[in-house]
Amino acid sequence: RSEEYEGAGKMVSLLAKFFRISLSQGKDMIPLEKELEHASSYLAIQNIRFKDKFEFQIEADPALLKYLCPKLSIQPLLENAIYHGLNRMVDEGEITIRIREDGDDIILSVEDNGIGMTEEQCQEILRKEPGDRTGIGIKNVNDRIKIYFGEEYGLTITSELDEGTCVDIRMPKVEKGDYDGK
């Protein structure tokens, strides 16, 4: 029983951190460091929920963590990876978040070893309509990135059936003084 209470205490702590970062004092743009904390809390919560059905890791260049990104950019990608990529797997799942630079841009990747998708399914995700009942989260992230930074930025999805999926977000390096919005 004490183990159950310990798990509940950990879950409450993770949820508090998750919601605190979600609110971010009303700011739309937050440092990548905070976005990664939010993603890590979300994954830890889901891992408790799914009884350690997957492992996750974060690989990020520390020099990039000061740059801003639209809040809640990673979580919808993780949600899709868990519910659509890993949920139906028998083997243990793996999710990796990577943050690296590409010239003046940042590439934020979420990769899983799940069931994968066809090329057609990858393209369909980015064409979802607001009236669609499911799968709108990834398109929403793509649209927000394009609104903030321009059409040359956004998501790219690559996948292979029975191998997994990788979603890359390309965005410019934006520092606190570069951004006029909230």
Side-chain angles (χ1 to χ4, degrees):
R1 277 195 127 337
S2 66
E3 288 176 8
E4 289 176 27
Y5 290 122
E6 194 174 301
K10 182 178 180 183
M11 179 72 92
V12 168
S13 178
L14 288 166
L15 282 168
K17 187 176 199 177
F18 177 81
F19 287 121
R20 191 170 40 255
I21 295 170
S22 292
L23 295 173
S24 301
Q25 300 170 334
K27 294 179 180 167
D28 295 332
M29 300 282 279
I30 62 174
L32 277 168
E33 181 176 27
K34 290 292 180 196
E35 183 69 5
L36 284 179
E37 283 180 32
H38 186 263
S40 183
S41 294
Y42 176 79
L43 286 169
I45 290 165
Q46 293 298 347
N47 219 357
I48 292 169
R49 183 172 173 229
F50 286 102
K51 298 181 180 7
D52 296 322
K53 187 173 179 167
F54 64 89
E55 291 183 0
F56 67 91
Q57 62 184 9
I58 297 172
E59 300 171 6
D61 180 345
L64 301 176
L65 299 182
K66 66 181 179 183
Y67 293 108
L68 301 178
C69 75
K71 75 177 172 186
L72 302 175
S73 293
I74 301 175
Q75 185 269 331
L77 310 183
L78 297 172
E79 187 174 334
N80 265 39
I82 293 167
Y83 289 104
H84 301 293
L86 304 179
N87 198 19
R88 294 177 284 185
M89 286 180 54
V90 175
D91 298 332
E92 186 174 277
E94 295 175 15
I95 296 175
T96 302
I97 300 171
R98 286 188 183 85
I99 297 180
R100 64 189 190 284
E101 67 182 324
D102 183 18
D104 291 333
D105 294 341
I106 293 173
I107 308 294
L108 194 156
S109 302
V110 173
E111 191 171 344
D112 68 62
N113 69 334
I115 61 170
M117 297 181 283
T118 64
E119 177 67 28
E120 184 178 288
Q121 288 172 311
C122 292
Q123 295 307 313
E124 187 179 309
I125 288 171
L126 296 175
R127 290 192 303 260
K128 292 278 184 180
E129 296 294 327
D132 291 344
R133 292 183 53 207
T134 61
I136 197 77
I138 289 182
K139 182 177 186 312
N140 186 358
V141 171
N142 189 46
D143 291 348
R144 286 189 303 129
I145 297 291
K146 289 181 179 301
I147 288 168
Y148 282 116
F149 306 123
E151 286 297 316
E152 64 271 28
Y153 298 102
L155 274 62
T156 306
I157 304 171
T158 54
S159 188
E160 196 170 319
L161 288 172
D162 298 324
E163 295 292 323
T165 301
C166 181
V167 181
D168 289 333
I169 301 174
R170 176 176 290 275
M171 59 189 149
K173 292 178 183 172
V174 176
E175 295 187 66
K176 202 170 200 166
D178 300 338
Y179 181 70
D180 298 336
K182 278 181 165 182

